[in-house]
């Protein structure tokens, strides 16, 4: 099973970015832990991070050649990127939207996601565990197909 992890803008800053909200673990450390966890379940995890909307669109398009599922923290693009929404709609691969923080308990502009409606589901508010929960949910979804 091949799962692609996509992290959007500012998630490369994990570790130093608002640690009271996002924790103090760096993105490479988190990705390594997730990759190890995935390997234990015979899942191959590929990861991609970009701060640039169009690059994320291209990555989603290219995922159709490799991935069985995508788990994605789209960062702030969650709230306004129609281009990323259209890219998700254009491929035939399930996508889970995930957030470290509980976006519904934060500023009002974070309550709205333009992506959720075209995703399989949404996981938010579990800190780093949101990534592990998303991986588990995607694996279960793919196994039950
Ligand atoms: C985030 C929540 C977004 O609102 C924010 O712009 C982020 C991170 C999260 O993981 O909690 O960059 O997606």
């Amino acid at each position: 099973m091949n799962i692609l992890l996509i992290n959007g803008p500012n998630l490369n800053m994990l570790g130093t970015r608002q640690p009271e909200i996002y924790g103090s673990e760096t993105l490479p450390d988190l990705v390594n832990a997730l990759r190890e966890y995935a390997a234990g379940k015979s899942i191959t995890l590929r990861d991609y991070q970009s701060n640039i909307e169009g690059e994320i669109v291209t990555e989603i398009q290219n995922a159709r050649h490799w991935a069985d599922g995508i788990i994605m923290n789209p960062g702030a693009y969650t709230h306004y990127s129609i281009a990323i929404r259209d890219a998700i709609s254009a491929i035939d691969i399930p996508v889970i939207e995930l957030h470290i923080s509980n976006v519904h308990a934060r500023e009002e502009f974070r309550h709205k996601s333009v992506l959720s409606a075209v995703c399989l589901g949404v996981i938010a508010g579990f800190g780093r565990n949101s990534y592990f929960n998303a991986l588990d949910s995607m694996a279960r979804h793919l196994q039950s197909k």
Side-chain angles (χ1 to χ4, degrees):
M1 187 184 291
N2 294 333
I3 296 184
L4 173 67
L5 165 67
I6 299 179
N7 278 290
N10 297 306
L11 289 155
N12 58 313
M13 298 288 285
L14 283 185
T16 54
R17 173 194 183 196
Q18 296 181 284
E20 68 286 2
I21 298 175
Y22 299 114
S24 51
E25 188 175 27
T26 65
L27 185 61
D29 284 352
L30 175 56
V31 170
N32 282 339
L34 193 66
R35 188 175 288 116
E36 226 169 85
Y37 180 75
K41 295 173 178 287
S42 304
I43 296 168
T44 304
L45 185 78
R46 215 184 252 181
D47 91 285
Y48 180 79
Q49 190 278 328
S50 176
N51 294 323
I52 301 170
E53 186 179 27
E55 288 184 354
I56 295 171
V57 168
T58 300
E59 187 66 16
I60 293 168
Q61 292 175 1
N62 291 340
R64 69 191 193 280
H65 303 303
W66 181 79
D68 300 305
I70 299 174
I71 59 175
M72 169 158 61
N73 185 345
Y77 286 141
T78 305
H79 312 298
Y80 67 94
S81 177
I82 306 300
I84 291 177
R85 178 185 170 120
D86 285 351
I88 295 169
S89 299
I91 58 166
D92 201 15
I93 299 169
V95 178
I96 293 179
E97 175 188 331
L98 77 94
H99 303 282
I100 297 169
S101 64
N102 178 356
V103 282
H104 300 287
R106 299 182 64 195
E107 302 96 324
E108 201 164 335
F109 65 85
R110 295 186 204 277
H111 298 182
K112 166 100 185 137
S113 166
V114 298
L115 308 181
S116 301
V118 294
C119 288
L120 177 64
V122 182
I123 291 169
F126 297 95
R128 77 193 287 273
N129 282 337
S130 290
Y131 286 86
F132 293 81
N133 294 346
L135 187 83
D136 280 340
S137 295
M138 183 57 79
R140 281 171 170 273
H141 171 75
L142 293 171
Q143 273 156 8
S144 69
K145 277 214 318 191

